[in-house]
Amino acid sequence: DRWRGFADIADSRHLSNSVEREVVDALEHAVTEAYPRLSHRYYRMKAKWLGMDKLMHWDRNAPLPAEDTREVPWADAQQIVLKAYGEFAPEMASIAKTFFDRNWIDAPTRPGKAPGAFAHPTVPSAHPYVLLNYLGKTRDVMTLAHELGHSMHSYLTWQNQPLVYADYSLFVAEVASNFHQAMVRAHLLKTNPDKNFQIAVIEEAMANFYRYFFIMPTLARFELETHTRIENGQPLTADSMIQL
């Protein structure tokens, strides 16, 4: 940071994300101020849904007891995503269909395959790939929508701005993926009137928002404080890390 003239520890990250420090600081401040009325309230609600007096750390992402556990076949997941996209813009559904038809999505689970989900933008001379482990849960459908949103972003950037094809910032990338996920969520709520199913879909959305707006800033503050202590020459011991 000193060699490159960065005044703040996070400035290099802000530069790579093409966002000003003041914007990030304002977001972090707004999120922190909203903890009591949003995140704390959400945790109290989820504890009540799970029949607990207090939500434990390891239960934060637990499914609701009434969540619909019926398996969603891959063919149905494909139709859900395509219909949701098509309701917004037929062209979007047409592009997404190309990913399914040409096997640009690696969905099956198999021994040795890494867990999680990822959208790989590759390079302008190729096409994007979607990598995930589809288990047939409603959350997997949402994950498919999210990662496909990333890849469609890459595909359209390749068509219109090839020089920045694989180099758009994460700050921008998550807008596309979450927008695609929101389209599928709206479609599911509109087409399935079952109350328990709708509650589960809404709770999944709340958990997703919470990860972005509350957990991420918390992790960022931890990292900033850690790096600040290192910069100031303070030793990082187990006890000092716990105090963070």
Side-chain angles (χ1 to χ4, degrees):
D1 287 343
R2 288 191 295 270
W3 290 344
R4 295 173 180 173
F6 291 122
D8 185 83
I9 293 171
D11 278 350
S12 60
R13 171 55 60 188
H14 298 332
L15 181 63
S16 66
N17 282 333
S18 300
V19 63
E20 294 80 7
R21 187 202 312 172
E22 293 77 11
V23 174
V24 178
D25 289 346
L27 173 62
E28 193 273 337
H29 176 74
V31 165
T32 303
E33 290 292 313
Y35 275 166
R37 69 178 185 274
L38 293 180
S39 67
H40 298 175
R41 180 184 172 210
Y42 166 62
Y43 274 157
R44 286 194 298 269
M45 290 172 62
K46 185 151 190 179
K48 181 179 178 181
W49 290 333
L50 294 174
M52 304 169 64
D53 294 329
K54 183 178 180 180
L55 195 68
M56 305 305 293
H57 176 78
W58 48 83
D59 290 321
R60 289 181 304 127
N61 295 322
L64 299 182
E67 182 175 343
D68 189 349
T69 58
R70 289 176 295 180
E71 182 176 335
V72 181
W74 174 249
D76 292 351
Q78 176 179 338
Q79 290 305 309
I80 290 171
V81 169
L82 294 179
K83 287 181 179 179
Y85 288 4
E87 290 170 357
F88 178 78
E91 180 185 4
M92 187 174 287
S94 177
I95 295 172
K97 191 173 185 300
T98 303
F99 280 77
F100 291 101
D101 292 345
R102 299 186 182 180
N103 294 320
W104 293 354
I105 303 175
D106 182 15
T109 59
R110 56 181 176 272
K113 185 178 180 181
F118 183 70
H120 200 303
T122 66
V123 294
S125 59
H127 58 77
Y129 281 99
V130 176
L131 308 169
L132 71 150
N133 292 275
Y134 187 79
L135 300 174
K137 299 178 181 179
T138 302
R139 292 189 179 194
D140 294 329
V141 178
M142 303 304 295
T143 300
L144 170 63
H146 183 100
E147 300 303 334
L148 187 55
H150 280 308
S151 286
M152 289 187 63
H153 181 192
S154 299
Y155 181 86
L156 291 170
T157 305
W158 168 44
Q159 299 288 331
N160 297 283
Q161 296 175 294
L163 292 179
V164 296
Y165 173 69
D167 199 35
Y168 50 76
S169 72
L170 183 63
F171 204 79
V172 173
E174 292 303 324
V175 174
S177 58
N178 279 278
F179 178 72
H180 283 71
Q181 197 169 339
M183 286 191 293
V184 171
R185 185 182 301 117
H187 174 76
L188 290 173
L189 291 173
K190 183 173 67 175
T191 56
N192 192 327
D194 181 76
K195 182 179 179 180
N196 287 333
F197 176 82
Q198 293 194 344
I199 290 176
V201 170
I202 293 172
E203 195 280 325
E204 184 273 337
M206 292 170 62
N208 191 53
F209 296 152
Y210 182 82
R211 282 191 292 272
Y212 278 103
F213 291 111
F214 293 98
I215 293 180
M216 295 300 180
T218 300
L219 296 176
R221 286 202 308 276
F222 176 83
E223 292 184 7
L224 286 170
E225 179 63 25
T226 301
H227 284 278
T228 299
R229 292 191 179 195
I230 294 173
E231 188 76 12
N232 294 335
Q234 296 175 261
L236 289 181
T237 64
D239 290 338
S240 67
M241 295 291 284
I242 291 173
Q243 293 172 4
L244 290 175

